[in-house]
Every structure is written in structure tokens, then in C-alpha cells.
Amino acid sequence: MNSAYAMKSSPPAPTTRARRSRLVIAHVLNSFHVGGAEQVVVDLAGLQRAAGHEVLVVGIATNPDGPRADQLRERGVAVHMVPKRPGFDITLPGRLAAFFARHGVSIVHSHNQLPLIYATAAGRLHRVPVCHTLHGAMLDQGRRAWLRHLTARLVDAHVAVSEKTADFMRKHNEVPLSKLHVILNGIDLTRFGPDSAARGRIRAELGIPEGAWVAGAVGRLSQIKNHALLLRAAAGVLSDDGRLLLVGDGPEAAPLRALAGELGIRDRVVFAGERHDVPELLAALDVFVLSSNSEGLPLSMVEAMATGLPVVSTAVGGIPDLVAEGETGLLVPAGAADALASQLAALKADPARAAAMGRRGRALALGRYSAERMTASYMDIYDALLSRRTPERGSVLRASALLASFHT
């Protein structure tokens, strides 16, 4: 195998001889809105539920409900809201611990920063192992950073979604190294692949000519994704037979529309807004583009590769581990509009090369980034953590049980 495909990883957690027959797993995340971390939870929780475990997913944002909640319910996963009060909520760890006690939770799995701070304390009160996944770099400072570093020491296992994310955690002393693991994100890839019928249908719906060359991006329209860079690069590539499709919504939507007008390409940029038919939208593309300033391991890129698309991306975060340069896609430095435009133009001018990259990328995605592989790795970590726990005597009263009596 080409060495460019090799993914370095921390040693996997040991697998216990006999996996516990049934766990009660509580995933804690900010909200159920559209996002990569939320999609990971959907697929992970769904497969854990299908394996016979009881799975609860808890949102803690002030307004945590969103479209991912419906996806979880469709998979038979229980969805709950334990909203955080404005500011620092000193009551939330107790309320979460009471929730864990009422539902007999046997392991807590938190995702990203606020759940790390609050769910770790709650897991300690409930006296069960806590696993935490960091889906990308955390750069904030002040009290929240202090709380994050404090609670990180109380977590039983930390998981980085890429080697680059793990490197960040090591460099900034975010977590104890003995507790750090790397598990690549996985998704349900059976939904993604070339689809000529969907390609024609989506293009007709969005007013894109059937024979047009279409580059596209899927993701929240926010500053960190730097879609402005993509628009500037596309301005030098798009011609009468070219289109740029942006799928997603966010605070940068209006400024990006204005920028497209300033660049003279407004008629060739399609702003599709937030959509939930991503597999069909990806099938309508010829190349997938990502112009972010920072990333962990972007699931949208994995989905694009599974669709059979070549990718052009900034070389940030875990992307260089995901994209084999010149084999499955092309990489450019962050912020380099001219380089991004040049690589897009190269693939536009050479459809055969682009198609070959897409085929290699699809094979790589299907082999490495399946949700089944990801789920098995997490279950190994759960089992290792639970096997270290000494069974508690029946007479021992957990703090969470006492709290539950006040939060009924």
C-alpha cells in the first residue's frame, strides 16, 4: 500500500475477553444541530443501539433540539434535553448526574468542550467511566480553558479524531498522554456513491446545466470555513460552463452572497442553504472543495470521497492524513487563493485524472472510515475502562442517586 495512505495511530485500547452483554451509554453533546460531531454521534449511537445497548443522547445547549434529534429517533435512540442555564451553570453537573442515576447509565461519553466540562463532573458524581472525544482544536482562553484543563484530568479516556488533533492535544498539554487514543471518525457510507439519477435531478432542481462542471462544498457558512477564499479562487476558474455549489447556512451567508456579486460570479454560484439530502447533492458535483482555516477530520470530505469525488483542500488539521496528495486529491496551503484556483483548474481541464482520483478516494473511504470500524474501536475503549472498575458494594450510595431524589 502506498505509504501516503498509512494512518499513524495510538495503540488501540485492549479488547476484553468477554464484552459486557448490555451497557447503558449516555452521549452528551451541545445540541442536535447539523455538524460533523453531531453526525458522528448519530452513527455511533445508532450502531450501539443496534448491537443491543441502551443508548441515550443528551443535549445541553440552551436550545439543544435540531434535525439530528430526528435522525437519532429514527434509529431507536432516546433523545433528551438537559439545558444549560446562561453563563456558568453550577447546577448542571448535579442535574446530569441525577439523570444518569435515574437511567442507570454505565458509561458517559462526552463530545467537545462544554460537555467535557459538565458531563465529566456529572460522571464522577455518578461514579462511572467517562470517555471524551475532541472533534477539533479548542483555541479559547480564560475561565473556560481553565475549566477544560481541570476536567480533562478527570476523564478516563480521551479520543482524538485524527493524528493532527492528537498532536494538538499533546503540544498544548490538553490531556494526560497515558489516556490519549486516536480513533478516526466513521460514518454510514452505504448512503454515498455515484448516482446518475440524483445527479440529473439535483442539477435540474438548482438550475445547473446538465453538462456543467460543478465544484462544491458542504458545511456551515462560518469564518473558520473560509468560503470567501473559495469564492476568490473560483472567480478565476468558473466560466460559462462552470458552477460553484455551496451547501449550508450560517452567519457568513449574506457576506458571501455580496462577495460573489463583487467578484462578478453571482450567476455561477448556487447557494443551496441548509439541506438534508447531502448524498444526492454530492452526486451532482464533479469535485469537492474545502477551504477551511482549521479542521479536525471533516466528515463532509469523507462523504465526498465515498461518493467518488476528487477533493481539493487546504492542508489543515487532519486533512493531510485523509487526502493522499496527487492520488485522491490535491492540497494547498491555508489561505492560498491562487494555489486553490490552480488546482481546481487542473482538475477541470483533466476529467480523466479527476475521475481516477475519485475512484481511489472512494476505495480508501470505504476501507478506512466506516461507522462500523469506528464503533468497534469505541466499544473496545469502553470495555477496557469498565474492566478496570471494581464492582461497587450494594450498600454504597452514589452521590448521583441522592441528587436524583431531588430532581424527579
Side-chain angles (χ1 to χ4, degrees):
M1 176 179 290
N2 188 321
S3 61
Y5 288 81
M7 174 68 188
K8 296 180 294 181
S9 172
S10 300
T15 305
T16 54
R17 289 180 178 273
R19 177 159 285 166
R20 296 161 196 266
S21 58
R22 182 177 180 275
L23 301 177
V24 182
I25 304 164
H27 291 276
V28 184
L29 70 169
N30 282 332
S31 73
F32 300 98
H33 297 302
V34 173
E38 292 78 7
Q39 185 61 59
V40 166
V41 173
V42 168
D43 290 328
L44 177 58
L47 286 172
Q48 290 170 335
R49 172 71 175 80
H53 303 290
E54 182 177 349
V55 187
L56 317 167
V57 182
V58 184
I60 66 169
T62 305
N63 181 23
D65 205 359
R68 299 297 191 209
D70 291 335
Q71 294 177 0
L72 286 160
R73 294 183 186 108
E74 289 169 3
R75 290 162 170 79
V77 175
V79 173
H80 301 268
M81 283 73 168
V82 183
K84 184 182 85 67
R85 296 168 185 172
F88 178 67
D89 186 358
I90 197 171
T91 73
L92 184 54
R95 290 187 287 124
L96 282 171
F99 174 90
F100 296 156
R102 287 196 302 272
H103 292 274
V105 168
S106 48
I107 192 160
V108 173
H109 190 159
S110 60
H111 300 263
N112 278 335
Q113 185 168 223
L114 285 181
L116 164 66
I117 292 170
Y118 291 105
T120 299
R124 284 291 180 174
L125 288 170
H126 186 49
R127 301 176 71 173
V128 298
V130 178
C131 176
H132 174 70
T133 298
L134 181 68
H135 294 269
M138 293 296 176
L139 302 174
D140 65 315
Q141 301 297 320
R143 182 172 65 178
R144 184 178 290 183
W146 179 82
L147 286 169
R148 185 179 76 243
H149 283 95
L150 176 65
T151 53
R153 269 60 191 167
L154 303 177
V155 170
D156 296 281
H158 289 272
V159 176
V161 299
S162 72
E163 190 62 37
K164 287 294 191 300
T165 302
D167 287 343
F168 172 89
M169 297 168 80
R170 297 184 190 105
K171 178 180 178 181
H172 295 274
N173 195 29
E174 287 282 324
V175 304
L177 297 183
S178 61
K179 298 180 178 181
L180 181 58
H181 308 266
V182 175
I183 297 178
L184 301 179
N185 279 342
I187 54 177
D188 178 8
L189 296 177
T190 61
R191 300 182 296 127
F192 299 91
D195 186 336
S196 58
R199 180 182 179 89
R201 183 173 64 253
I202 292 295
R203 289 188 171 210
E205 174 192 338
L206 298 177
I208 298 173
E210 182 179 349
W213 178 85
V214 182
V218 178
R220 181 170 168 76
L221 303 183
S222 61
Q223 288 189 352
I224 199 168
K225 297 295 184 180
N226 202 355
H227 291 90
L229 176 75
L230 175 53
L231 287 175
R232 292 188 176 94
V237 178
L238 298 180
S239 56
D240 291 341
D241 64 341
R243 295 292 186 276
L244 177 64
L245 173 59
L246 298 182
V247 180
D249 202 354
E252 292 298 299
L256 289 171
R257 287 189 175 90
L259 178 59
E262 293 171 14
L263 294 169
I265 56 171
R266 184 64 187 87
D267 60 332
R268 281 161 279 165
V269 180
V270 178
F271 290 88
E274 184 175 309
R275 301 273 297 236
H276 304 294
D277 53 346
V278 172
E280 291 77 14
L281 288 158
L282 287 173
L285 302 180
D286 294 291
V287 60
F288 180 85
V289 196
L290 196 147
S291 50
S292 296
N293 295 327
S294 176
E295 286 286 349
L297 195 156
L299 292 182
S300 60
M301 185 172 289
V302 176
E303 294 168 349
M305 292 169 66
T307 305
L309 295 172
V311 300
V312 178
S313 175
T314 47
V316 297
I319 290 172
D321 293 319
L322 172 57
V323 178
E325 169 66 22
E327 296 291 323
T328 64
L330 301 170
L331 299 176
V332 303
D338 289 345
L340 186 60
S342 177
Q343 298 293 39
L344 286 171
L347 291 187
K348 184 175 184 289
D350 194 345
R353 181 190 181 201
M357 284 184 173
R359 289 191 295 271
R360 288 190 291 264
R362 176 168 165 76
L364 177 60
L366 295 178
R368 185 185 291 170
Y369 297 101
S370 72
E372 290 78 9
R373 185 270 315 152
M374 174 186 68
T375 302
S377 297
Y378 274 114
M379 294 308 299
D380 282 347
I381 288 181
Y382 292 179
D383 286 337
L385 297 180
L386 289 164
S387 69
R388 299 172 194 160
R389 292 277 169 146
T390 302
E392 301 210 4
R393 300 189 304 273
S395 59
V396 174
L397 177 64
R398 300 184 191 213
S400 59
L402 183 62
L403 288 165
S405 67
F406 292 98
H407 294 278
T408 55

